[in-house]
């Protein structure tokens, strides 16, 4: 009987430790620089993009700001923040005529991530007349690059 109680106690302790370890793996690591707020920026011939990561609980909220650099009338525009984890934040602009040259626009949809470090690039797809264009803009944390 005593041995059975000891085995059940050890098994219960093992299950509790395993559950706590699993919970900790899903939360942001406070020592990871990628878990802290940051701003990633990138630019192409046609677009400037900025991805802001702000603290929201144990995660980071991801917000995309875009700026069209060319003075051509857009028919459609869609943006995807591409992550190595494969969970993109996709934003389609409902009224592309609002995207004016040299006027930044923060898009409505916001994502949540545990680290900005897996952000690779921003995919932009748009149409001008009948011509559809797609490009990928690499985004970098310029503040981190400037720190020695």
């Amino acid at each position: 009987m005593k041995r059975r109680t000891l085995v059940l106690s050890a098994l219960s302790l093992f299950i509790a430790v395993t559950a706590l370890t699993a919970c900790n793996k899903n939360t942001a690591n406070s020592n990871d620089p990628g878990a802290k707020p940051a701003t990633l920026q990138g630019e192409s011939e046609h677009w400037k993009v900025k991805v802001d990561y702000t603290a929201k609980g144990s995660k980071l909220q991801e917000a995309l700001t875009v700026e069209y650099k060319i003075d051509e009338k857009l028919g459609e525009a869609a943006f995807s923040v591409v992550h190595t984890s494969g969970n993109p934040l996709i934003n389609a602009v409902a009224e592309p005529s609002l995207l004016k040259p040299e006027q930044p626009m923060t898009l409505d949809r916001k994502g949540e991530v545990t680290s900005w470090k897996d952000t690779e690039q921003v995919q932009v797809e748009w149409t001008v007349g009948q011509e559809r264009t797609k490009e990928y803009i690499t985004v970098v944390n310029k503040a981190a690059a400037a720190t020695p």
Side-chain angles (χ1 to χ4, degrees):
M1 181 82 164
K2 193 172 192 179
R3 180 183 168 141
R4 183 174 183 211
T5 305
L6 182 62
V7 169
L8 286 175
S9 296
L11 184 60
S12 298
L13 182 61
F14 176 75
I15 291 171
V17 169
T18 303
L20 287 173
T21 303
C23 289
N24 286 337
K25 287 182 180 178
N26 292 331
T27 59
N29 179 356
S30 61
N31 294 329
D32 176 13
K36 298 192 179 356
T39 298
L40 308 183
Q41 298 175 12
E43 190 171 345
S44 73
E45 178 183 339
H46 302 98
W47 298 93
K48 286 182 186 178
V49 294
K50 180 173 78 166
V51 187
D52 286 310
Y53 292 95
T54 56
K56 183 177 181 187
S58 65
K59 294 193 174 201
L60 296 172
Q61 186 173 48
E62 176 180 75
L64 177 62
T65 301
V66 299
E67 183 178 324
Y68 190 46
K69 295 169 53 177
I70 309 297
D71 192 15
E72 294 177 331
K73 186 175 179 179
L74 293 168
E76 298 175 0
F79 306 87
S80 300
V81 179
V82 181
H83 301 275
T84 56
S85 63
N87 298 321
L89 170 66
I90 301 170
N91 263 296
V93 177
E95 189 55 52
S97 63
L98 297 175
L99 289 167
K100 304 284 185 200
E102 308 301 323
Q103 291 181 356
M105 174 188 278
T106 301
L107 303 180
D108 293 338
R109 292 200 59 210
K110 295 179 179 15
E112 283 189 2
V113 297
T114 54
S115 174
W116 56 262
K117 288 211 170 216
D118 78 335
T119 304
E120 291 186 317
Q121 53 198 348
V122 175
Q123 174 188 313
V124 184
E125 284 189 75
W126 73 97
T127 59
V128 174
Q130 297 299 315
E131 186 178 338
R132 177 172 289 284
T133 307
K134 179 193 279 190
E135 66 184 16
Y136 294 87
I137 302 170
T138 301
V139 289
V140 295
N141 183 350
K142 297 190 185 224
T147 308

